[in-house]
Amino acid sequence: MKKTVLVSGGAGFIGSHVTVELLQAGYEVVVADNFSNCDLTCFEDVKKITGRADIPLEKIDFCDEAAAKGIFKKYHFDAVIHFAAFKAVGESVAEPLKYYKNNLVSFLNVLEAAKEVGGCNVLFSSSATVYGEPEKVPVTEDTPRQPAMSPYGNTKTMCEDILQDTVKASGGTIKGILLRYFNPIGAHPSALIGELPRGIPNNLVPFITQTAIGKRECLSIFGNDYPTPDGTCLRDYIDIVDLARAHVFAVTRMMEGKMKKDCEIFNVGTGRPVSVMELVNAFQKVNNVKLNYKIAARRPGDVTAIWADPTLANKELGWKAERSVEDTLKSAWAWELHLAGK
Ligand code: UDP
């Protein structure tokens, strides 16, 4: 029988790409989402890409404990991948309680539900934000975590701890993997699914594509006086499909009982630092479009430089980021054009 994976937040940006990769790898997927930050179109497009009109969809909010428990009783899950969370850093500073409540309660309910049915393999979507401003780059999984810069970041750190403690206390019935994502960008090669920010984008690449298409007037580059080669911040931009593939390797490892510890941590990045300026230039070059940008003040809370040492994921998961920044930036632009109906 095919193994079944629950993807909470499966209609969102990362969740939809992961759903596609899981189905294409031969797993069954149940998508659960409350559609608070996405609409049904994306789920419909996942069906188109995979040729699977029958993907089960559960419209639930994981903050509803009874609903979370209900779904674990309705299906048998071999693994759960938890994405359902709020993700806007700035909003989390303005509305911390909203973030703590949603992001913590939904994950607690997933774990309670998993425990109630006798356990499960749980993959949590963590973030490089847990490393804060690292003293040394690239960062390995052993690089110490730093106090989070925002309530959003704090929920990632707290959920990491919650999963580790739960795994420890479960007597081997709950296994966990924490994937720490660097900066996911780009879109599916079909250009049918991609990032759909509501309102003004916070992240760099959606802001670039929206400026290039004319939805925004001008991109502000937040600071060019950082101690980096060109003065702009360095990040590890990872292609969304590469990132999604890492989840397939991780859940396979869990479901096949190949983990070396009951709770494992992997950096999911390319190992390649790229500056904001380099990314902007590459975008213009590969897509042959002109971008209106200006240098602006630093954005409070930004770290100067962070990128991954992905050696552990390469070795243990057998996974490696493959797509070039150029190809990823082409996919981001193709997605923006698709949204514009061009
Ligand atoms: N950035 C920028 N202008 C924008 C958005 C982001 O210059 O409109 C910069 C930001 O300062 C950071 C990099 O782009 O150096 C990546 O920012 P993003 O918000 O995408 O990711 P994160 O800050 O979480 O790494």
Side-chain angles (χ1 to χ4, degrees):
M1 231 182 60
K2 280 189 180 179
K3 300 233 190 271
T4 303
V5 182
L6 167 65
V7 182
S8 83
F13 174 44
I14 304 181
S16 59
H17 287 82
V18 168
T19 299
V20 168
E21 296 305 311
L22 286 168
L23 288 166
Q24 289 180 342
Y27 294 122
E28 286 302 326
V29 177
V30 174
V31 169
D33 211 297
N34 67 356
F35 294 93
S36 68
N37 194 28
C38 56
D39 58 38
L40 209 54
T41 334
C42 174
F43 179 67
E44 294 303 323
D45 287 330
V46 167
K47 290 183 183 170
K48 269 190 218 153
I49 293 169
T50 56
R52 287 280 309 265
D54 59 342
I55 307 167
L57 172 66
E58 297 287 340
K59 289 187 192 175
I60 71 158
D61 186 334
F62 281 90
C63 287
D64 176 346
E65 189 177 336
K69 289 187 170 168
I71 187 173
F72 274 79
K73 289 195 189 106
K74 180 169 171 187
Y75 302 89
H76 168 79
F77 299 125
D78 298 282
V80 45
I81 305 182
H82 183 66
F83 293 113
F86 293 151
K87 59 175 183 183
V89 178
E91 187 187 48
S92 80
V93 176
E95 294 184 72
L97 293 177
K98 176 176 164 182
Y99 272 68
Y100 286 122
K101 192 166 174 189
N102 184 67
N103 293 8
L104 299 181
V105 172
S106 63
F107 192 44
L108 291 171
N109 286 342
V110 165
L111 292 173
E112 290 263 15
K115 189 178 165 202
E116 203 173 83
V117 295
C120 199
N121 294 305
V122 180
L123 191 158
F124 178 68
S125 54
S126 189
S127 163
T129 192
V130 302
Y131 296 118
E133 174 88 68
E135 276 173 24
K136 238 176 75 192
V137 276
V139 292
T140 71
E141 291 76 0
D142 294 327
T143 297
R145 294 185 314 184
Q146 306 267 1
M149 303 277 223
S150 67
Y152 160 78
N154 224 355
T155 66
K156 291 294 175 195
T157 309
M158 291 163 110
C159 285
E160 284 199 350
D161 292 344
I162 290 168
L163 181 56
Q164 288 189 312
D165 290 343
T166 305
V167 166
K168 220 184 285 168
S170 76
T173 58
I174 295 182
K175 302 257 182 353
I177 286 188
L178 305 172
L179 294 184
R180 291 180 178 155
Y181 311 147
F182 284 69
N183 290 56
I185 61 166
H188 194 264
S190 64
L192 287 173
I193 54 171
E195 199 168 359
L196 207 57
R198 288 216 168 136
I200 302 170
N202 293 304
N203 295 113
L204 179 59
V205 171
F207 208 105
I208 290 177
T209 57
Q210 290 198 3
T211 306
I213 203 110
K215 277 192 208 161
R216 314 268 154 220
E217 216 163 282
C218 183
L219 167 78
S220 291
I221 294 182
F222 298 140
N224 69 346
D225 56 352
Y226 284 96
T228 60
D230 67 17
T232 63
C233 295
L234 296 170
R235 294 288 185 277
D236 185 334
Y237 297 95
I238 172 157
D239 183 87
I240 183 66
V241 177
D242 277 334
L243 180 91
R245 285 176 39 249
H247 294 71
V248 177
F249 284 88
V251 288
T252 301
R253 178 179 173 91
M254 296 177 116
M255 295 189 297
E256 291 182 352
K258 300 210 167 119
M259 295 169 72
K260 295 204 170 138
K261 284 189 288 186
D262 284 349
C263 194
E264 296 182 323
I265 304 175
F266 297 105
N267 283 340
V268 185
T270 67
R272 169 190 65 199
V274 174
S275 76
V276 175
M277 208 59 242
E278 284 172 328
L279 200 82
V280 165
N281 288 334
F283 179 84
Q284 298 190 100
K285 188 160 171 230
V286 296
N287 294 311
N288 198 21
V289 289
K290 180 98 192 63
L291 194 66
N292 196 17
Y293 70 84
K294 62 172 189 229
I295 305 297
R298 291 183 178 193
R299 181 171 68 176
D302 271 340
V303 307
T304 305
I306 184 165
W307 67 95
D309 177 343
T311 309
L312 193 67
N314 298 163
K315 198 168 136 245
E316 291 295 328
L317 298 180
W319 163 90
K320 205 173 181 329
E322 284 167 2
R323 226 160 160 197
S324 67
V325 174
E326 287 75 18
D327 283 344
T328 303
L329 290 172
K330 275 190 207 162
S331 75
W333 184 230
W335 165 242
E336 191 67 60
L337 291 170
H338 167 80
L339 287 175
K342 291 183 185 165

